[in-house]
Amino acid sequence: MEQLAQGPLPEWKTFEGAANRRGLRAGEALFQAGEVLPRVFVVTQGLIKMVYETPAGDAWVKGFVPAGMCFASLTALEPGGVTSYAAVAEGGPCSVDQIDHSVLEALAGRHIEWQRALSNAYRLYGQRKEQREMELLTLSPQERYRRFLLTQGPVAAQLRQRDIASYVRVTPVALSRIKARMQRG
């Protein structure tokens, strides 16, 4: 959070006191779509996979959150809002701090430093969303896979091929073909 604020944050003890740590086993859900959960999550260990499910039961990977990053379902932060996707521990044990969004809003209401932290968090979220949208709409599957390796290479080793394929928006067979073409040069 201090990185987002670009400096020290006042009332840090208030923030720490509001954080509730939860440990997860690999494959365990942090939350499912449709839950009332106005919280911000900070991954302190492991990796979280975010997944959208279609009415037909298909699952599409929205993204991955490694240790040191935070995330939230923005729809769940609105009054009466619910989560729009599921979040699941991926690849091994995971630890996540959960902070009630109202605590962050109260801190931002009292301190410009907290306002800056939240503003920068929302800005970074918007930039990531725009980048992802551009990739899905303008890049070929092979280009999306290359971009994934460039931007999330260290995470790739922790993931199953079907999850990478889902993120890139191809079938696992198509991803195997893409990888083979890339190895041939």
Side-chain angles (χ1 to χ4, degrees):
M1 292 302 289
E2 288 184 332
Q3 284 180 321
L4 290 168
Q6 301 168 339
L9 289 164
E11 289 193 66
W12 186 254
K13 293 281 187 206
T14 302
F15 175 78
E16 283 184 324
N20 177 23
R21 182 155 292 174
R22 180 168 170 202
L24 301 163
R25 296 178 312 279
E28 186 177 353
L30 176 62
F31 59 81
Q32 297 292 338
E35 291 186 35
V36 176
L37 214 56
R39 297 188 186 132
V40 173
F41 302 93
V42 180
V43 180
T44 58
Q45 174 194 351
L47 179 69
I48 292 288
K49 174 177 68 174
M50 299 174 290
V51 180
Y52 284 116
E53 289 190 23
T54 68
D58 295 322
W60 291 101
V61 175
K62 167 184 169 27
F64 306 99
V65 187
M69 299 289 290
C70 62
F71 71 102
S73 172
L74 292 185
T75 58
L77 300 183
E78 293 295 318
V82 297
T83 55
S84 61
Y85 58 87
V88 179
E90 188 61 35
C94 192
S95 180
V96 179
D97 286 345
Q98 306 175 75
I99 301 102
D100 192 302
H101 189 250
S102 65
V103 171
L104 295 172
E105 286 183 319
L107 287 167
R110 293 191 297 269
H111 305 285
I112 190 76
E113 297 89 349
W114 282 100
Q115 287 178 18
R116 185 180 312 115
L118 290 183
S119 174
N120 283 335
Y122 291 132
R123 181 181 49 78
L124 289 171
Y125 176 79
Q127 288 172 340
R128 285 194 306 261
K129 291 276 292 181
E130 186 174 320
Q131 181 69 36
R132 177 80 169 130
E133 182 180 82
M134 182 280 299
E135 290 169 1
L136 289 171
L137 294 173
T138 66
L139 299 181
S140 70
Q142 186 165 330
E143 291 167 326
R144 289 194 302 269
Y145 179 63
R146 277 196 180 118
R147 180 74 57 99
F148 169 78
L149 292 176
L150 279 172
T151 60
Q152 300 185 52
V155 169
Q158 301 174 52
L159 300 172
R160 293 176 291 212
Q161 291 303 298
R162 73 170 190 234
D163 289 332
I164 295 171
S166 177
Y167 179 79
V168 175
R169 297 289 294 197
V170 296
T171 65
V173 171
L175 180 61
S176 292
R177 290 180 182 143
I178 289 168
K179 290 168 79 174
R181 275 194 305 272
M182 288 173 64
Q183 287 177 346
R184 287 193 301 264

